């Protein structure tokens, strides 16, 4: 259509990259990484196979981009807005609830877990990409645990690295089981039980554990394009002073918001 403005070279490049990534997600969700070819990705997106290598270098580098973009989109669009104003144990519990509400219709989620299973089998070359993704999720939990220990909401003797690894394994393991078994994994009940277990394991005293275990902090429903979050009781907000113990010693105020994409 001669009446429509022509796309700039940069706009065309961004459009082709987006379409190629979407095609790769759809195919890998259906048939995994090894069986998905560059030619299939290009054909589904409507381009020649050479463009895949031109844009990404290889199918392995394309997967790296997919994983990185997927994690960034989850943190920026879903997790960060849900955790606004929270830190420490409150943020950790809330993050767990958000993570344990997977989208059944998400091709990206299915592709991530389908391909992850190939790390230990036919395609060991993709292990580094998944190892980096694992470090990212552990670091997210690690930050919450450190904050909770600073604020006194999490026991000081909790091993930060060990707890972060356990939480990352728990979230991934539950979602993996849910993808395989479907409704046999009762996610609503599991989220409630998980909250109670975590508060008993992490809180410094029974009263704190009871307060966090019974509080309902999230009612999140996630779709492919939207996420709605309703926040209710948060015991940390009611009982935590405006300054952390560390801030009280130094005379500095605790920041009300952290510009931290890993949250």
């Amino acid at each position: 259509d001669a009446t429509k403005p022509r796309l700039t070279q940069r706009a065309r490049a961004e459009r082709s990259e987006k379409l190629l990534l979407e095609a790769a997600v759809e195919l890998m969700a259906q048939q995994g990484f090894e069986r998905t070819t560059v030619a299939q990705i290009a054909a589904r997106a409507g381009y020649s196979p050479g463009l895949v290598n031109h844009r990404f270098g290889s199918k392995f580098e394309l997967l790296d981009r997919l994983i990185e973009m997927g994690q960034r989109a989850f943190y920026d669009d879903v997790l960060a807005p849900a955790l606004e104003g929270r830190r420490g144990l409150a943020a950790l519990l809330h993050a767990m609830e958000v993570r344990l509400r997977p989208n059944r219709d998400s091709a990206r989620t299915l592709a991530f877990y389908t391909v992850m299973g190939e790390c230990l089998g036919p395609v060991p070359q993709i292990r580094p990409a998944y190892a980096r993704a694992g470090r990212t999720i552990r670091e997210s939990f690690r930050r919450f645990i450190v904050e909770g220990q600073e604020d006194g909401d999490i026991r000081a003797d909790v091993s930060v690295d060990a707890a972060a690894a356990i939480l990352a394994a728990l979230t991934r393991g539950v979602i993996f089981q849910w993808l395989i078994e479907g409704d046999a994994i009762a996610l609503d009940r599991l989220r409630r039980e998980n909250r109670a277990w975590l508060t008993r394991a992490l809180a410094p005293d029974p009263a704190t554990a009871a307060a966090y275990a019974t509080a309902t902090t999230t009612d999140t429903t996630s779709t492919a394009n939207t996420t709605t979050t309703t926040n209710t009781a948060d015991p940390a907000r009611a009982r935590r002073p405006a300054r952390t113990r560390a801030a009280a010693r130094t005379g500095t105020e605790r920041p009300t918001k952290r510009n931290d994409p890993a949250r």
Side-chain angles (χ1 to χ4, degrees):
D1 188 344
T3 63
K4 292 183 179 180
R6 296 187 64 180
L7 294 175
T8 65
Q9 183 176 356
R10 179 176 179 180
R12 290 197 302 271
E14 291 175 348
R15 182 175 184 273
S16 64
E17 182 173 303
K18 178 177 181 291
L19 292 174
L20 289 169
L21 289 169
E22 290 175 349
V25 166
E26 293 169 359
L27 287 164
M28 291 181 192
Q30 295 168 1
Q31 59 191 28
F33 180 86
E34 187 179 34
R35 292 178 59 192
T36 297
T37 67
V38 168
Q40 289 174 335
I41 295 170
R44 178 163 293 202
Y47 296 100
S48 65
L51 188 62
V52 177
N53 292 329
H54 177 70
R55 289 279 181 262
F56 304 101
S58 70
K59 190 172 70 166
F60 294 100
E61 292 174 274
L62 183 151
L63 179 64
D64 285 348
R65 181 79 65 84
L66 279 177
I67 293 175
E68 180 184 352
M69 289 178 60
Q71 285 195 304
R72 176 62 59 181
F74 175 77
Y75 287 125
D76 290 348
D77 300 337
V78 179
L79 193 58
L83 297 182
E84 182 69 28
R86 291 183 171 85
R87 55 180 275 131
L89 184 56
L92 187 152
L93 295 173
H94 202 70
M96 288 294 290
E97 292 191 8
V98 172
R99 286 183 177 279
L100 293 178
R101 293 180 181 272
N103 182 356
R104 188 183 295 274
D105 300 321
S106 172
R108 180 171 290 175
T109 297
L110 185 57
F112 181 89
Y113 284 91
T114 299
V115 175
M116 185 169 67
E118 296 179 79
C119 286
L120 302 178
V123 197
Q125 302 96 315
I126 62 179
R127 289 185 191 176
Y130 277 90
R132 287 192 292 273
R135 288 193 292 271
T136 298
I137 186 174
R138 290 196 301 274
E139 180 59 25
S140 175
F141 284 124
R142 192 181 187 281
R143 291 171 186 267
F144 300 143
I145 296 165
V146 170
E147 289 175 351
Q149 290 177 329
E150 292 174 349
D151 296 344
D153 294 330
I154 294 178
R155 297 193 338 263
D157 63 341
V158 169
S159 170
V160 175
D161 291 334
I166 290 169
L167 292 169
L170 190 155
T171 55
R172 284 189 171 181
V174 166
I175 295 173
F176 199 80
Q177 290 181 77
W178 176 77
L179 288 171
I180 294 172
E181 302 182 45
D183 292 338
I185 304 298
L187 286 180
D188 287 341
R189 180 176 179 182
L190 189 148
R191 282 190 294 269
R192 292 192 298 270
E193 293 290 340
N194 181 61
R195 184 181 186 87
W197 292 342
L198 289 179
T199 53
R200 288 196 297 268
L202 300 176
D205 55 72
T208 302
Y212 277 103
T214 57
T216 301
T217 61
T218 178
D219 181 14
T220 305
T221 55
S222 200
T223 65
N225 300 311
T226 61
T227 299
T228 303
T229 303
T230 302
N231 300 323
T232 55
D234 184 344
R237 293 179 175 178
R239 71 179 188 81
R240 185 186 300 131
R243 293 150 62 99
T244 64
R245 295 170 184 175
R249 289 195 298 269
T250 61
T252 59
E253 295 293 334
R254 188 186 70 209
T256 58
K257 180 178 180 181
R258 294 194 173 190
N259 183 18
D260 181 1
R263 288 169 57 86

